[in-house]
């Protein structure tokens, strides 16, 4: 009998095993959410009490504040039970497109608030084994509540797509800014690199490594300040962030440009001409990736500082130091960085700037930041930077915003059929892997009429 029982359990069909796993994940998420919601509510209450104590409010004012807070908590619970979907938003314009989906500017019909809606095709996520990556991104955006990270207000899904509703940052991204200008001045570079240092450190303090720091993922808000985005390659702390967790549920390489025997001006022009294409491809570019990440022998958060060094070089020189004919050639240059990381004499930069780039782009053991972020902030290149108030000061390059839906800092994209209903696919049977993807942020649901004053105005 025991033998027969063992034999029958080993012959369970893949369908049965998957149903068991699905039930397990559903129950785990249900109880995990209950605990998390209770903890978050307690934290909000404690934060309110702390703020009131710091302000020295009289008892009557405290009582009114607590009453208002309780009303918001009740409203939040009610609104959390409402089902959010595409019908709640009006699509205004496509503002970005990538290998697995696109980003649209949308307006919430009931409040009029404008958001950037990131749309990802489930079938592509499954086919390209991106489920772990997209779960890591969603979880980091839920956890990160920082001025340095793009804020996510909602996430939801339907049979076809996943949807992330993010704050709309009308300044565009650093890639667009760098493509508009030949190079940045050292003063401008100091500002953007200093802000990016603080942004990267905010992620490291949460226990994450970004792994994909590049100009495309440095967004600019309405006043020109930096915010980090695109956490799909972040190394997460949960098994649900790892590709292997989903693998048993069931590179093409493109040329970028020719750079041999080019001077700096021509190399910069060619890089810019092909940069946009690389941003939209599934391959992307290995230009910003630290050598230890390629080596598969282990790496840590210091790999993000290498990437920042490459970006700093690009800001000052006009193109990244390892750009080549193909991604394979770029990879070889990155791995051979001791010989290939050179500064062209026709684009002079200060010794302080060179020194910091070489402190970012060096062996991980000797890289600046190994002793903590303060080591970077104290570097002579950042002399005069007021880190505590940098976001309150004017940005190095100001951003002009004409209206709440101003997209002048974004490329033009044709419409697509990503929101059209698709035929049923085998991916529908794997839909359980996206359980617990839905999210609603407390301040997003309870805010009313909170459109910033600088974004008020008529549509263009």
């Amino acid at each position: 009998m025991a033998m027969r029982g063992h034999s029958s359990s080993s012959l369970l069909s893949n369908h049965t095993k998957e149903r068991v796993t699905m039930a397990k994940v559903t129950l785990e998420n249900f109880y995990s959410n209950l605990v998390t919601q209770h903890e978050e509510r307690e934290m909000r209450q404690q934060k309110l009490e702390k703020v009131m104590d710091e302000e020295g409010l009289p008892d009557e004012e405290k009582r009114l504040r607590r009453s208002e807070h309780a009303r918001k908590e009740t409203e939040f619970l009610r609104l959390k039970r409402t089902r959010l979907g595409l019908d709640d938003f009006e699509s205004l314009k496509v503002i970005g497109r990538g290998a697995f989906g696109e980003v649209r500017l949308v307006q919430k019909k009931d409040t009029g608030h404008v958001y950037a809606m990131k749309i990802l095709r489930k079938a592509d996520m499954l086919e390209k084994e991106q489920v772990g990556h997209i779960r890591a991104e969603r979880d980091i955006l839920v956890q990160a509540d920082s001025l340095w990270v793009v804020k996510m207000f909602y996430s939801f899904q339907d049979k076809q797509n996943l949807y992330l509703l993010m704050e709309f940052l009308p300044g565009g991204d650093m890639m667009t800014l760098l493509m508009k200008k030949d190079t940045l001045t050292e003063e401008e570079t100091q500002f953007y690199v200093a802000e990016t240092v603080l942004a990267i450190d905010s992620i490291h303090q949460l226990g994450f490594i970004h792994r994909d720091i590049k100009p495309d993922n440095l967004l600019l808000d309405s006043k020109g300040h930096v915010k980090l985005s695109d956490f799909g390659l972040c190394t997460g702390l949960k098994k649900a962030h790892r590709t292997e967790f989903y693998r048993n549920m069931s590179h093409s390489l493109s040329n970028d440009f020719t750079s041999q025997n080019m001077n700096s001006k021509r190399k910069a022009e060619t890089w810019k001409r092909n940069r946009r294409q690389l941003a939209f491809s599934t391959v992307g570019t290995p230009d910003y990736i630290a050598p230890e990440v390629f080596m598969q022998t282990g790496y840590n958060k210091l790999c993000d500082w290498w990437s920042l060094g490459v970006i700093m070089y690009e800001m000052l020189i006009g193109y990244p130091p390892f750009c080549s004919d193909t991604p394979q050639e770029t990879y070889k240059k990155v791995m051979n960085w001791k010989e290939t990381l050179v500064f062209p004499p026709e684009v002079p930069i200060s010794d302080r700037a060179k020194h910091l780039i070489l402190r970012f782009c060096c062996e991980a053991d000797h890289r600046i930041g190994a002793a903590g972020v303060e080591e970077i902030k104290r570097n002579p290149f950042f002399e005069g930077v007021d880190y505590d108030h940098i976001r309150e000061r004017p940005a190095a390059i100001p951003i002009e915003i004409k209206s709440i839906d101003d997209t002048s800092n974004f490329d033009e994209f044709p419409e697509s059929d990503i929101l059209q209903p698709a035929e049923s696919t085998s991916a529908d049977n794997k839909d359980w892997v996206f359980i617990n993807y839905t999210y609603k942020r407390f301040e997003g649901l309870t805010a009313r009429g909170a459109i910033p004053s600088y974004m008020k105005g008529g549509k263009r």
Side-chain angles (χ1 to χ4, degrees), residues 44-54 66:
R44 288 194 292 269
Q45 185 68 43
Q46 290 169 13
K47 187 176 179 181
L48 172 67
E49 295 295 333
K50 183 181 177 183
V51 168
M52 291 193 300
D53 287 341
E54 288 173 351
R66 290 188 189 109

Side-chain angles (χ1 to χ4, degrees), residues 37-53 62-63 65-71 73 442:
Q37 287 171 23
H38 175 73
E39 290 174 346
E40 288 175 348
R41 185 165 183 152
E42 289 290 311
M43 284 176 61
R44 288 194 292 269
Q45 185 68 43
Q46 290 169 13
K47 187 176 179 181
L48 172 67
E49 295 295 333
K50 183 181 177 183
V51 168
M52 291 193 300
D53 287 341
K62 285 184 177 181
R63 188 187 66 78
R65 289 267 191 105
R66 290 188 189 109
S67 176
E68 174 64 15
H69 181 77
R71 186 191 64 76
E73 288 285 3
F442 179 76

Side-chain angles (χ1 to χ4, degrees), residues 106-165:
V106 299
Q107 190 164 31
K108 197 161 186 286
K109 293 176 181 177
D110 61 347
T111 63
H113 291 188
V114 170
Y115 301 95
M117 176 188 278
K118 185 173 183 178
I119 308 164
L120 298 163
R121 289 180 294 265
K122 285 183 176 180
D124 289 349
M125 295 291 102
L126 289 162
E127 184 183 346
K128 305 292 184 182
E129 296 191 328
Q130 297 292 307
V131 175
H133 293 160
I134 192 59
R135 289 207 74 97
E137 177 173 39
R138 178 258 185 217
D139 289 351
I140 290 165
L141 290 171
V142 167
Q143 194 173 336
D145 189 9
S146 165
L147 289 171
W148 299 107
V149 174
V150 61
K151 183 164 284 190
M152 180 181 75
F153 288 100
Y154 315 102
S155 61
F156 60 91
Q157 59 179 300
D158 55 28
K159 284 193 172 183
Q160 189 173 332
N161 300 316
L162 302 174
Y163 303 91
L164 294 163
L165 273 295

Side-chain angles (χ1 to χ4, degrees), residues 37 41 44 70-82 440 442 445-446:
Q37 287 171 23
R41 185 165 183 152
R44 288 194 292 269
R71 186 191 64 76
K72 284 190 173 184
E73 288 285 3
T74 302
E75 182 186 11
F76 182 53
L77 284 173
R78 180 178 61 80
L79 291 172
K80 270 181 79 76
R81 289 192 289 267
T82 62
K440 298 182 179 77
F442 179 76
L445 285 172
T446 57

Side-chain angles (χ1 to χ4, degrees), residues 201-249:
D201 182 55
S202 73
I203 289 296
H204 289 175
Q205 287 184 34
L206 289 175
F208 291 102
I209 308 169
H210 192 286
R211 289 202 307 173
D212 199 23
I213 300 292
K214 56 185 179 182
D216 324 40
N217 295 336
L218 302 180
L219 303 188
L220 301 174
D221 68 13
S222 59
K223 295 184 179 178
H225 292 277
V226 168
K227 288 203 178 197
L228 265 182
S229 76
D230 209 337
F231 298 90
L233 289 185
C234 256
T235 54
L237 305 176
K238 303 177 183 177
K239 64 182 180 181
H241 297 164
R242 297 198 290 269
T243 297
E244 294 75 19
F245 183 65
Y246 305 94
R247 180 166 285 152
N248 297 321
M249 305 300 176

Side-chain angles (χ1 to χ4, degrees), residues 7-23:
S7 173
S8 62
S9 66
S10 64
L11 293 175
L12 285 174
S13 69
N14 286 335
H15 174 73
T16 302
K17 290 178 182 177
E18 194 164 292
R19 297 286 293 182
V20 169
T21 306
M22 177 180 174

